Amino acid sequence: MIASGSWRDKKFKAYNFNALGVMPECGHLHPLMKVRTQFRQIFLEMGFSEMPTNNFVESSFWNFDALFQPQQHPARDQHDTFFMQDPAMASEFPMDYLERVKKVHSEGGYGSQGYKYDWSINEAKKNLLRTHTTAVSARMLYKLAQQKEFTPVKYFSIDRVFRNETLDATHLAEFHQIEGVVADYGLTLGDLMGVLKEFFNKLGITKLRFKPAYNPYTEPSMEVFSYHEGLKKWVEVGNSGVFRPEMLLPMGLPEDVSVIAWGLSLERPTMIKYGINNIRELVGHKVNLQMVYDSPICRLDS
């Protein structure tokens, strides 16, 4: 019309420059990210520092061996862990620390008799998709031990981990792990319980129970249970413990330093918060985008 000039013979409606336009569609945060933000805020309020968790690929040494987890442990089999093909092996390790880890596994030390087996460096070199963010905690604690003078620290992380799980309504091959770590002189199980109560109180969870458990790298270890008002029963909400001296002393940390830690998944509290029964409706190709648009803001204390 402009090119031909026919617009001169037409009548046009006047523009109303005061009319409001249609609101553009904006981005929406996924429910997992909303709940993650709340957890992160709680850790920051409690004085924790966030650990760098940007390496999904980890060596078996940091993921298992540094945590005093034996090389014949079932979790290190291919039906539980995703191993890498390229690159299949890691090459750079702090060799003096690696030798101390090898010794505590095969011969014992630091008051422990070890596992009494032939520890293999080739097994420790195998690359994998990390099965827990505790591998990052191990790296951070080793870095802390290299300081000239020990300083108490509080660390946290929230990031993805990978396990060769059978997929069902509550399990995926990748999920998020929330982890808190406190290192200081003379920490006890009572300190761990106190920190856990403070942490879960901020989540709005006040009824807690602790049950003895077993982990290769913590002793004592506890499962954390909360009373679910909707289900009218106690449900597990996390795992915790005090890191073993066989893990801490080879790093070079002082003997009177204890490290308490706990972890839980991000998906379970998100599913409870938003009333989602199948994890595949929360993560993956079956996610309903309208659910993402409509999900309200997250307040974990309400």
Side-chain angles (χ1 to χ4, degrees), residues 206-270:
T206 55
K207 294 181 180 179
L208 287 181
R209 277 183 182 172
F210 304 104
K211 174 187 171 186
Y214 169 76
N215 294 314
Y217 43 88
T218 58
E219 181 61 40
S221 309
M222 300 185 303
E223 291 173 348
V224 187
F225 288 81
S226 165
Y227 189 75
H228 194 294
E229 296 292 349
L231 298 175
K232 301 296 181 187
K233 67 176 184 177
W234 292 89
V235 295
E236 185 183 351
V237 291
N239 209 322
S240 65
V242 182
F243 281 141
R244 297 177 69 111
E246 296 99 324
M247 171 186 165
L248 300 178
L249 295 179
M251 293 177 175
L253 288 167
E255 285 192 23
D256 51 351
V257 167
S258 299
V259 181
I260 58 176
W262 70 97
L264 60 151
S265 80
L266 179 63
E267 281 76 4
R268 182 172 291 185
T270 304

Side-chain angles (χ1 to χ4, degrees), residues 97 100 110 141-142 144-147 150 247-255:
Y97 172 49
R100 293 195 294 271
Y110 311 104
L141 290 171
Y142 174 73
L144 177 67
Q146 306 319 299
Q147 296 180 2
F150 172 79
M247 171 186 165
L248 300 178
L249 295 179
M251 293 177 175
L253 288 167
E255 285 192 23

Side-chain angles (χ1 to χ4, degrees), residues 68-88:
F68 196 56
Q69 195 156 330
Q71 293 187 339
Q72 64 271 31
H73 194 279
R76 301 178 72 150
D77 293 338
Q78 286 190 346
H79 58 73
D80 280 323
T81 302
F82 292 112
F83 287 94
M84 303 293 293
Q85 285 187 339
D86 186 21

Side-chain angles (χ1 to χ4, degrees), residues 110-123:
Y110 311 104
S112 169
Q113 65 178 14
Y115 292 114
K116 305 293 184 186
Y117 69 97
D118 292 328
W119 187 86
S120 167
I121 191 169
N122 289 328
E123 190 69 31

